[in-house]
Amino acid sequence: MYEIIALIELSLWFGLPAWIANATPVLLGGGPPIDGGRVLRDGHRILGDGKTIRGFVVGVIFGTLAGTAQSFVAPLIPDVLSEFVLITSDMETVLFMTIPIAVLMSIGALTGDLIGSFLKRRIDIKSGNPSPVMDQLGFIILALLFASPIIQPAPIYVMILVSFTLAIHWISNALGYLLGLKKHPW
Ligand code: CTP
Ligand code: MG
């Protein structure tokens, strides 16, 4: 049982810089859009007003800050964790966050977010309208890809991280709907 909890904890720990990078633009973004308002030949914006330069920059900064904080805490964790589980080398891999990993994951997350918006515009989904797959998977997959030259977590961690990323998004949307903050439960 503890093994499963440790697996989940470590997966979420590893994904934290990407999540922070993806979440902070919502709070601190805004200003001029990255695409400069330009429209492609299909008549739709390249990215749309939802993707701003400031949002990209604050996302990278805060994702990196989160990973930097984690890199200081990481060396203290094995002592605590080893009271509950046997620490494997797979665990150590995802545990030791470093600043370069955090930078790559943050830039990857924001890039994945842009790719998602680019694709949404191509299939005529307006800025702000949801696309259940692109909104949630783009950022986490690209964060993992960008970091992959430095770190390759065992597949189980990737699977847990991706599943939780999808689940958390859906749970928070459903909650927002139940609380009356959102019009739709998706
Ligand atoms: N945001 C930003 N810059 C970014 C990403 C996000 O400023 N690079 C801000 C915008 O205010 C955006 C909000 O965060 O409206 C929510 O982000 P997101 O859901 O990713 O964008 P959407 O507005 O839904 O646009 P899209 O349909 O392109 O995803
Ligand atoms: Mg959105």
Side-chain angles (χ1 to χ4, degrees):
M1 189 61 202
Y2 283 135
E3 280 78 8
I4 298 174
I5 295 173
L7 265 178
I8 295 174
E9 282 172 353
L10 286 173
S11 305
L12 304 190
W13 163 270
F14 177 67
L16 199 59
W19 278 353
I20 303 274
N22 189 57
T24 39
V26 184
L27 305 170
L28 302 173
I34 294 173
D35 67 7
R38 277 186 289 272
V39 167
L40 283 192
R41 258 191 290 179
D42 59 9
H44 300 297
R45 288 282 295 276
I46 302 177
L47 300 171
D49 283 334
K51 303 294 117 131
T52 69
I53 299 167
R54 183 170 10 126
F56 195 99
V57 173
V58 294
V60 172
I61 290 175
F62 278 85
T64 301
L65 285 177
T68 305
Q70 286 175 268
S71 73
F72 288 112
V73 181
L76 310 173
I77 295 178
D79 263 358
V80 183
L81 209 58
S82 61
E83 296 200 10
F84 304 97
V85 288
L86 183 72
I87 297 179
T88 64
S89 64
D90 281 355
M91 287 179 172
E92 286 180 346
T93 302
V94 286
L95 181 58
F96 286 104
M97 179 58 64
T98 65
I99 297 174
I101 295 173
V103 172
L104 287 174
M105 285 185 87
S106 302
I107 297 176
L110 271 302
T111 305
D113 182 50
L114 295 188
I115 294 173
S117 291
F118 178 82
L119 295 175
K120 282 170 74 178
R121 296 305 87 81
R122 302 292 70 75
I123 55 173
D124 198 13
I125 300 178
K126 298 259 169 300
S127 281
N129 284 353
S131 165
V133 179
M134 254 95 83
D135 286 344
Q136 293 125 74
L137 285 186
F139 87 89
I140 197 74
I141 302 278
L142 267 281
L144 290 166
L145 261 178
F146 271 49
S148 64
I150 303 186
I151 181 171
Q152 300 93 25
I156 181 77
Y157 295 94
V158 174
M159 279 163 52
I160 294 175
L161 180 55
V162 170
S163 313
F164 266 79
T165 303
L166 287 170
I168 285 175
H169 201 92
W170 286 327
I171 291 167
S172 62
N173 283 347
L175 265 182
Y177 173 71
L178 291 175
L179 295 173
L181 299 171
K182 283 174 57 74
K183 254 198 288 184
H184 306 288
W186 53 82

Coordinates of all heavy atoms in Angstrom, one line a residue, residues 25-26 29-30 34 47 50-52 55-56 110 113-114 117 120-121 126-129 135, ligand 1:
P25 N 0.1 31.3 -15.7 CA -0.4 32.3 -16.7 C -1.9 32.6 -16.5 O -2.2 33.8 -16.8 CB -0.2 31.6 -18.1 CG 0.9 30.6 -17.8 CD 0.7 30.1 -16.4
V26 N -2.7 31.7 -16.1 CA -4.1 32.0 -15.8 C -4.2 33.2 -14.9 O -5.1 34.1 -15.0 CB -4.8 30.8 -15.3 CG1 -6.3 31.1 -15.2 CG2 -4.6 29.6 -16.2
G29 N -1.0 36.1 -16.4 CA -0.9 36.4 -17.8 C -1.6 37.6 -18.3 O -2.2 38.3 -17.5
G30 N -1.7 37.8 -19.6 CA -2.4 38.9 -20.2 C -1.4 39.8 -21.0 O -0.2 39.5 -21.0
I34 N 1.1 36.4 -28.2 CA 2.3 36.0 -28.9 C 2.2 36.1 -30.4 O 3.2 36.4 -31.1 CB 2.6 34.5 -28.5 CG1 3.0 34.5 -27.0 CG2 3.8 33.9 -29.3 CD1 3.1 33.1 -26.4
L47 N -2.6 31.7 -32.8 CA -2.8 31.1 -31.5 C -4.0 31.6 -30.7 O -4.6 30.9 -30.0 CB -1.5 31.4 -30.6 CG -0.2 30.8 -31.2 CD1 1.0 31.4 -30.4 CD2 -0.1 29.3 -31.1
G50 N -5.6 34.2 -26.0 CA -5.3 33.6 -24.7 C -3.9 33.2 -24.5 O -3.5 32.8 -23.4
K51 N -3.1 33.3 -25.6 CA -1.6 33.0 -25.4 C -0.8 34.3 -25.5 O -0.6 34.8 -26.6 CB -1.2 32.0 -26.5 CG -2.0 30.7 -26.6 CD -1.8 29.9 -25.3 CE -3.1 29.7 -24.6 NZ -3.4 28.3 -24.2
T52 N -0.4 34.7 -24.3 CA 0.3 36.0 -24.3 C 1.8 35.8 -23.9 O 2.2 34.8 -23.4 CB -0.3 36.9 -23.2 OG1 0.0 36.4 -21.9 CG2 -1.8 37.1 -23.4
G55 N 2.2 35.7 -20.2 CA 1.8 34.4 -19.7 C 2.9 33.4 -19.8 O 3.2 32.6 -18.9
F56 N 3.5 33.4 -21.0 CA 4.6 32.4 -21.3 C 5.8 32.6 -20.3 O 6.3 31.7 -19.7 CB 5.1 32.6 -22.8 CG 5.9 31.4 -23.3 CD1 5.3 30.4 -24.0 CD2 7.3 31.3 -22.9 CE1 6.1 29.4 -24.5 CE2 8.0 30.3 -23.4 CZ 7.5 29.3 -24.2
L110 N 4.8 25.2 -21.5 CA 4.3 26.3 -22.2 C 4.2 26.1 -23.7 O 3.3 26.6 -24.4 CB 5.1 27.6 -21.8 CG 4.7 28.4 -20.6 CD1 3.2 28.9 -20.7 CD2 4.8 27.6 -19.3
D113 N 1.4 23.9 -24.5 CA 0.2 24.7 -24.4 C -0.1 25.5 -25.7 O -1.2 25.6 -26.2 CB 0.3 25.7 -23.2 CG -0.9 26.5 -22.9 OD1 -2.0 26.0 -22.9 OD2 -0.7 27.8 -22.8
L114 N 1.0 26.1 -26.3 CA 0.9 26.8 -27.5 C 0.5 25.9 -28.7 O -0.3 26.2 -29.5 CB 2.2 27.5 -27.9 CG 2.7 28.6 -27.0 CD1 4.0 29.3 -27.6 CD2 1.7 29.6 -26.7
S117 N -3.1 25.2 -28.5 CA -3.9 26.3 -29.0 C -3.9 26.4 -30.5 O -4.9 26.7 -31.2 CB -3.5 27.6 -28.4 OG -3.8 27.6 -27.0
K120 N -6.1 23.9 -31.8 CA -7.5 24.2 -31.6 C -8.0 25.2 -32.6 O -9.1 25.1 -33.1 CB -7.7 24.8 -30.2 CG -7.7 23.7 -29.1 CD -7.6 24.3 -27.7 CE -8.9 25.0 -27.3 NZ -8.8 25.5 -25.9
R121 N -7.1 26.3 -32.9 CA -7.5 27.3 -33.9 C -7.7 26.7 -35.3 O -8.6 27.1 -36.0 CB -6.5 28.4 -34.0 CG -6.3 29.3 -32.7 CD -7.5 29.9 -32.1 NE -8.2 29.1 -31.2 CZ -7.9 28.9 -29.9 NH1 -6.8 29.5 -29.4 NH2 -8.6 28.2 -29.1
K126 N -12.8 28.2 -30.7 CA -12.5 29.6 -30.3 C -11.6 29.6 -29.0 O -11.8 28.8 -28.2 CB -13.7 30.4 -30.1 CG -14.6 30.5 -31.3 CD -14.4 31.9 -32.0 CE -15.1 31.9 -33.4 NZ -14.5 31.0 -34.4
S127 N -10.8 30.7 -28.9 CA -10.0 30.9 -27.7 C -10.9 30.8 -26.5 O -11.9 31.4 -26.4 CB -9.3 32.2 -27.7 OG -8.2 32.2 -28.5
G128 N -10.5 30.0 -25.5 CA -11.2 29.8 -24.3 C -12.2 28.7 -24.3 O -12.6 28.2 -23.2
N129 N -12.6 28.3 -25.5 CA -13.5 27.1 -25.5 C -12.7 25.8 -25.3 O -11.5 25.8 -25.7 CB -14.2 27.0 -26.9 CG -15.3 28.0 -27.0 OD1 -15.7 28.7 -26.0 ND2 -15.9 28.2 -28.1
D135 N -6.2 20.6 -24.2 CA -6.0 21.5 -23.1 C -5.2 20.8 -22.0 O -4.5 21.5 -21.2 CB -7.4 21.9 -22.5 CG -8.0 23.0 -23.4 OD1 -7.4 23.6 -24.2 OD2 -9.3 23.2 -23.2
Ligands
CTP1 N1 -2.5 32.7 -20.5 C1 -1.6 33.7 -21.0 N2 -0.5 33.3 -21.7 C2 -0.3 32.0 -22.0 C3 -1.2 31.0 -21.6 C4 -2.3 31.4 -20.8 O1 -1.8 34.9 -20.7 N3 0.8 31.7 -22.7 C5 -3.7 33.2 -19.8 C6 -4.7 33.8 -20.7 O2 -5.3 34.9 -19.9 C7 -5.7 32.7 -20.9 C8 -5.7 32.0 -19.6 O3 -4.4 32.1 -19.1 O4 -7.0 33.2 -21.3 C9 -6.2 30.6 -19.6 O5 -5.2 29.8 -20.4 P1 -5.7 28.7 -21.4 O6 -6.9 27.9 -20.9 O7 -4.5 27.9 -21.8 O8 -6.1 29.6 -22.7 P2 -7.5 29.9 -23.3 O9 -7.9 31.3 -23.1 O10 -8.5 28.8 -22.9 O11 -7.2 29.8 -24.9 P3 -7.0 28.5 -25.8 O12 -8.4 28.2 -26.3 O13 -6.1 28.9 -26.8 O14 -6.5 27.4 -25.0

